[in-house]
Amino acid sequence: MSDYLWHMAKLLEGKVALVTGASRGIGRGIANKLAEHGATVCFTYLSSVEKGQELENELKAQGVNAKGFRSDASDMKQAEELITAIAAEFGTIDIVVNNAGITRDNLLMRMSEEQWDEVIRINLKSVFNVTKAVQRPMLKQRSGSIINISSVVGRSGNAGQANYAASKAGMLGFTKSIARELGSRSIRCNAVCPGFIETEMTGELDSKMTDAWVEQIPLKRMGTADDVANLVLFLASDLSAYITGQTINVDGGMQTI
Ligand code: NAP
């Protein structure tokens, strides 16, 4: 292996990471990527207990220090208990990826108050909960990287997704504010905006709609969880030591703003 590749493989050696919502999709891809690069990986899930256990077993079988937690990120008390448990077992938390998210799509005319509240609570309040809980250990150690998985829809809006777009746009304001608040303690906070990524979330869409979206993408394909995970790896590592408060798209060129 060249020196360069060896260095790349060790990017997160000695770091402890938490990924919320990693039982499947993008979160799972991120958990695998951080583990591949030497991190101890803690992750959460909510309903997918078997898949959560499967991921923990897979990572451990590869020799990774890993632990899955069943924890609802939208519940403040559970978020606090989660961070306390990780800090107690692993000593620290260096990287947090706020990835857990849902969609409850509907046109505004048909959108229920429950659909609005659920999406704001799970997509946006979760980020507040987990970030607030983790700031104490990060402030103490005077370092950390927080990465919030937003969406291109948070920048552009999307018909039928007013709740989702509002939650994802909210994450961007939160990210920039936290970058300003915690920067003096070397804690960085950045947002990633995936475009159209192949996961169960987008698997619910009909194929005609999918084809029409792909046609709009300059790179002419959907993204993969790995495409997103590569950007998260960069933001988690010291390669991005002077980058904070930023919103970066990983969308095949779908948006150029
Ligand atoms: P997904 O396949 O539906 O997976 C969502 C994950 O979030 C699951 O692991 C789920 O756990 C977890 N989760 C949901 N509610 C939770 C809660 N309250 N507490 C803890 N975990 C919770 O979604 P995905 O496509 O991978 O999306 C991941 C993130 O990327 C989301 O924030 C999404 O908005 C964002 N994103 C996705 C796309 C895309 O095209 N797919 C594009 C832009 C942004 P369980 O399995 O246990 O329910």
Side-chain angles (χ1 to χ4, degrees):
M1 198 190 287
S2 72
D3 282 357
Y4 174 73
L5 282 178
W6 186 87
H7 179 70
M8 289 291 286
K10 300 287 174 187
L11 271 180
L12 304 179
E13 195 71 41
K15 304 274 188 193
V16 178
L18 165 65
V19 185
T20 66
S23 52
R24 52 200 162 91
I26 293 173
R28 192 167 181 137
I30 293 169
N32 279 318
K33 182 68 65 177
L34 302 185
E36 208 179 294
H37 285 265
T40 290
V41 175
C42 300
F43 66 90
T44 67
Y45 50 89
L46 188 56
S47 57
S48 307
V49 178
E50 265 180 37
K51 284 184 183 172
Q53 194 55 55
E54 181 190 275
L55 176 61
E56 183 176 317
N57 293 341
E58 268 175 30
L59 291 172
K60 282 184 169 162
Q62 293 161 34
V64 175
N65 206 5
K67 185 158 182 171
F69 295 82
R70 187 173 194 188
S71 179
D72 183 350
S74 71
D75 182 301
M76 186 61 172
K77 193 162 172 283
Q78 289 188 41
E80 282 169 349
E81 286 168 358
L82 171 73
I83 299 298
T84 303
I86 296 171
E89 184 163 349
F90 299 100
T92 182
I93 306 180
D94 304 288
I95 299 156
V96 167
V97 185
N98 284 309
N99 167 77
I102 60 162
T103 50
R104 295 290 181 265
D105 298 352
N106 227 334
L107 293 172
L108 183 59
M109 196 174 285
R110 298 198 201 108
M111 189 177 289
S112 66
E113 190 181 354
E114 287 71 30
Q115 287 175 323
W116 173 269
D117 285 346
E118 199 182 357
V119 167
I120 299 297
R121 180 172 56 81
I122 295 180
N123 293 5
L124 186 56
K125 183 162 183 281
S126 292
V127 180
F128 164 77
N129 291 344
V130 175
T131 308
K132 187 168 167 62
V134 85
Q135 74 168 342
R136 190 171 297 159
M138 284 188 172
L139 282 170
K140 218 165 148 192
Q141 73 200 16
R142 290 183 164 263
S143 69
S145 177
I146 300 161
I147 299 146
N148 296 327
I149 308 300
S150 174
S151 167
V152 288
V153 164
R155 305 181 100 172
S156 63
N158 196 22
Q161 290 197 307
N163 50 358
Y164 183 78
S167 72
K168 294 298 182 182
M171 285 173 79
L172 302 183
F174 182 85
T175 300
K176 292 175 196 177
S177 304
I178 296 311
R180 288 182 186 275
E181 269 187 47
L182 303 182
S184 64
R185 307 292 180 92
S186 302
I187 300 166
R188 301 182 293 109
C189 185
N190 292 289
V192 167
C193 288
F196 198 30
I197 311 296
E198 262 183 293
T199 67
E200 283 180 32
M201 190 179 267
T202 47
E204 290 167 7
L205 302 170
D206 80 81
S207 62
K208 268 193 188 159
M209 202 178 198
T210 305
D211 292 348
W213 274 92
V214 169
E215 196 44 45
Q216 306 293 316
I217 301 172
L219 290 180
K220 300 292 176 205
R221 66 168 176 90
M222 289 179 78
T224 63
D226 204 51
D227 290 323
V228 181
N230 281 326
L231 176 55
V232 171
L233 169 66
F234 170 70
L235 291 172
S237 79
D238 291 342
L239 288 180
S240 58
Y242 200 52
I243 298 177
T244 193
Q246 302 305 304
T247 298
I248 306 176
N249 285 11
V250 49
D251 68 352
M254 193 194 257
Q255 285 182 351
T256 50
I257 52 159

